[in-house]
Amino acid sequence: MASNLPKISDNDRIKAMINDDQKIRLILSSSAQMTIAEDMDIFGVNERNQFINTVLNNYFKHAKASLLMYRTNRISDLCDTSENEHMSTEELENKEAIVTNIVDAEMREYAENIKKSLRVKGDRRFCYINNYNMRFLANDGYKEYSGKDMLEYSPYKRPSQYLRAVIEEYCSLTFIEREKIFKKETYDIIKQAKKDNHVLHIPNAKNPDQIFVVYPHKIVDNKSNTQSYLLCYSKIKGIKDSKMKIVSFSMARLNISEANVTSQNFKLTKEQEKNIENVLQHQSVEYLLNEPESIEIRLTETGKKIYNSRIYMRPKRTEIKDNNIWVFNCTQLQAYNFFFSFGENAEVINPPELRNRFIQSVNKMHEIYSHKTTDN
């Protein structure tokens, strides 16, 4: 927990019903614990408290578990339509009443599901709530379990139950949804930089001394909707011959702050934006950081069937040569990731460096499996 945050008042702490140390026992299911551990590893977070507080800070106001806020927003969204301008006052009131009844029924059902989930046993560990989240609990979140303005069907008797419900809900989402929650600050910075026509300076994760000068276009999901990527033009800072090229950065691994935004103004031309969209139609967004090339793979009949049955990350075939050699236009990394699992049903013919990479990987696997295992 960051100690340099402004202290909250004693009154706020009392309202939030958490002790002076801002420490709370948080019970989470084993599946939620596993998801948290996996996300921490993917997002490069070492401190569990930091991870949980970031999720809470970014998700409190959007979680269905925040019953009152979700109810209010849900009713507002359903009532706010273009049809309203043609409706009379009476019709609008009737519509709102009907929508409210529908949403209340939905929320009661969800509250019952929360009650059931709170009875499920889980691991109990301490968590320190930072001041930002304490203030939320003391004000907006306080209503969820305090008795004041509380919904009659609220399942929360103490703050730890509310926190548990929010975190469990986060862990039940798909990875791409969790990514957008946890990386909210990065998403917001990129979108604002695009809006302001500002340039980003992003360090190379493998070589921090190398800086990518990034001209953001947009954030897109991959075709399988499992991850998001920043699609942009980029060049290397400080190198005269470095040319701008179309690349992508994984949002899950991208860690930037306001310090990465420069005051330099730059607006992509319509032609440049069109070029990006054209490239996206023919290449997988995951592999735009490297240049595509001609890859030749000899496939057995089984290999062909495997290729046709696997859509995820599949490189595009451009040609079929003699002796069952299929030609693909993709990066070496994409070819490696896709075809390595084919085993003996796929043989790399060209380029030589990719063939050698397969050979080295196979040899390393042979070394591992040639040793006899000993049972303990």
Side-chain angles (χ1 to χ4, degrees):
M1 187 183 89
S3 58
N4 59 342
L5 296 174
K7 292 183 178 180
I8 69 169
S9 67
D10 291 337
N11 184 52
D12 281 343
R13 187 174 289 107
I14 292 170
K15 285 166 65 178
M17 299 197 300
I18 295 180
N19 59 38
D20 291 347
D21 294 331
Q22 297 177 203
K23 184 170 71 170
I24 194 167
R25 285 188 178 92
L26 190 59
I27 302 174
L28 293 174
S29 64
S30 57
S31 61
Q33 297 280 15
M34 187 179 300
T35 298
I36 289 173
E38 291 173 351
D39 283 6
M40 286 177 62
D41 186 52
I42 293 171
F43 299 137
V45 181
N46 296 322
E47 294 293 332
R48 184 173 179 273
N49 284 329
Q50 176 193 346
F51 178 86
I52 289 178
N53 274 286
T54 299
V55 170
L56 293 175
N57 182 71
N58 293 346
Y59 196 47
F60 265 141
K61 295 181 180 179
H62 307 282
K64 201 171 180 179
S66 296
L67 300 173
L68 276 172
M69 278 181 290
Y70 184 85
R71 176 181 181 272
T72 300
N73 294 335
R74 180 85 167 131
I75 292 173
S76 177
D77 290 342
L78 292 175
C79 288
D80 186 18
T81 65
S82 58
E83 300 174 355
N84 291 354
E85 59 188 55
H86 304 295
M87 298 174 69
S88 66
T89 302
E90 183 179 357
E91 288 174 326
L92 286 171
E93 290 176 351
N94 288 336
K95 177 182 178 180
E96 185 172 349
I98 293 171
V99 167
T100 299
N101 287 335
I102 293 173
V103 172
D104 277 340
E106 177 188 341
M107 297 311 300
R108 284 190 178 90
E109 182 179 356
Y110 187 69
E112 283 301 314
N113 291 335
I114 291 177
K115 287 181 181 178
K116 293 177 183 177
S117 68
L118 292 176
R119 291 195 289 267
V120 176
K121 294 183 179 180
D123 296 329
R124 176 179 297 184
R125 296 177 62 180
F126 284 109
C127 179
Y128 290 89
I129 307 302
N130 67 24
N131 289 344
Y132 292 127
N133 291 324
M134 281 289 289
R135 285 197 183 90
F136 177 86
L137 290 172
N139 294 284
D140 297 316
Y142 168 61
K143 297 176 183 178
E144 296 293 349
Y145 49 78
S146 67
K148 291 184 179 180
D149 298 325
M150 184 178 70
L151 295 171
E152 76 276 10
Y153 49 78
S154 175
Y156 310 124
K157 296 181 179 179
R158 49 188 181 275
S160 60
Q161 293 180 332
Y162 174 41
L163 298 180
R164 176 182 181 178
V166 174
I167 295 296
E168 290 280 359
E169 182 179 330
Y170 165 86
C171 292
S172 70
L173 301 174
T174 63
F175 174 76
I176 197 168
E177 292 173 315
R178 301 198 307 272
E179 175 189 89
K180 291 174 181 177
I181 293 169
F182 187 82
K183 306 288 290 190
K184 181 179 182 299
E185 181 181 3
T186 298
Y187 274 81
D188 290 344
I189 289 172
I190 291 172
K191 290 176 181 177
Q192 191 62 46
K194 171 62 178 177
K195 182 179 178 180
D196 297 336
N197 296 320
H198 285 169
V199 178
L200 302 171
H201 282 181
I202 301 178
N204 185 338
K206 296 181 180 179
N207 180 13
D209 294 330
Q210 187 181 76
I211 304 296
F212 292 114
V213 181
V214 174
Y215 308 88
H217 174 53
K218 65 179 180 180
I219 299 172
V220 298
D221 299 343
N222 61 6
K223 292 180 180 179
S224 58
N225 291 317
T226 54
Q227 272 193 271
S228 295
Y229 292 81
L230 168 59
L231 195 58
C232 58
Y233 269 91
S234 177
K235 65 180 182 180
I236 299 175
K237 183 181 179 182
I239 299 180
K240 292 182 179 180
D241 296 332
S242 177
K243 295 181 180 180
M244 287 176 56
K245 63 178 183 177
I246 299 170
V247 301
S248 64
F249 292 90
S250 168
M251 290 297 295
R253 298 183 181 89
L254 198 57
N255 294 309
I256 61 175
S257 65
E258 294 291 349
N260 297 103
V261 183
T262 72
S263 58
Q264 178 186 356
N265 287 327
F266 185 91
K267 185 175 176 63
L268 294 175
T269 65
K270 289 184 179 180
E271 183 179 358
Q272 287 172 322
E273 292 186 342
K274 184 179 179 181
N275 289 339
I276 292 179
E277 295 299 330
N278 287 339
V279 168
L280 192 59
Q281 288 181 5
H282 298 94
Q283 291 181 236
S284 298
V285 67
E286 296 93 331
Y287 299 107
L288 291 182
L289 194 57
N290 298 309
E291 294 292 338
E293 57 186 291
S294 179
I295 307 288
E296 297 182 4
I297 308 284
R298 178 182 284 115
L299 294 173
T300 65
E301 292 304 314
T302 300
K304 295 172 187 177
K305 291 179 181 179
I306 296 173
Y307 172 84
N308 290 326
S309 66
R310 293 184 184 177
I311 299 175
Y312 179 63
M313 296 288 192
R314 183 169 66 187
K316 185 177 181 180
R317 187 186 66 196
T318 59
E319 183 184 355
I320 297 180
K321 292 185 175 182
D322 294 335
N323 298 320
N324 296 317
I325 296 176
W326 288 19
V327 183
F328 305 90
N329 184 49
C330 64
T331 64
Q332 292 191 27
L333 179 60
Q334 183 176 4
Y336 179 86
N337 288 344
F338 187 79
F339 288 109
F340 189 77
S341 63
F342 282 43
E344 69 276 13
N345 294 300
E347 177 191 359
V348 178
I349 305 301
N350 276 307
E353 55 269 30
L354 180 60
R355 182 179 176 89
N356 289 334
R357 182 176 180 182
F358 271 69
I359 292 172
Q360 290 173 7
S361 296
V362 171
N363 287 339
K364 287 180 181 177
M365 290 179 64
H366 176 72
E367 288 179 15
I368 293 172
Y369 287 104
S370 63
H371 297 295
K372 291 183 178 181
T373 58
T374 55
D375 295 329
N376 293 327

